[in-house]
Amino acid sequence: MTRNLATFDNAMRVAGALADNHDRDYVLVRTGDPGRPYVVEAFASQPGTVALICADPEIALRWASSVTAEVYPQWG
């Protein structure tokens, strides 16, 4: 599993670059360690996930729509 240590902003950049270059999905995982609060890992339904970066924009939109419908059913 890829584990790149990073701040949140840098982790987002790293995850975006990895998703673009490797055509797979990545997540930012909160570690609980103040010295390295976030790591970037290949997506595997990890606990502590704070962001999902999808390689395929259509999948990302479908995922976001389904989560929004589940969390905010009154918006549907």
Side-chain angles (χ1 to χ4, degrees):
M1 201 177 299
T2 302
R3 293 182 67 92
N4 296 299
L5 307 177
T7 64
F8 185 85
D9 290 339
N10 193 44
M12 288 295 288
R13 284 189 289 276
V14 168
L18 286 170
D20 288 344
N21 293 332
H22 299 284
D23 196 30
R24 36 183 321 188
D25 301 336
Y26 288 87
V27 293
L28 273 60
V29 178
R30 186 184 322 253
T31 66
D33 178 356
R36 51 184 200 180
Y38 300 98
V39 294
V40 176
E41 298 180 346
F43 177 60
S45 300
Q46 295 89 328
T49 296
V50 295
L52 169 63
I53 296 80
C54 291
D56 184 335
E58 288 187 28
I59 291 172
L61 288 173
R62 280 197 309 267
W63 180 82
S65 296
S66 69
V67 169
T68 301
E70 185 178 314
V71 175
Y72 301 103
Q74 68 275 18
W75 291 4

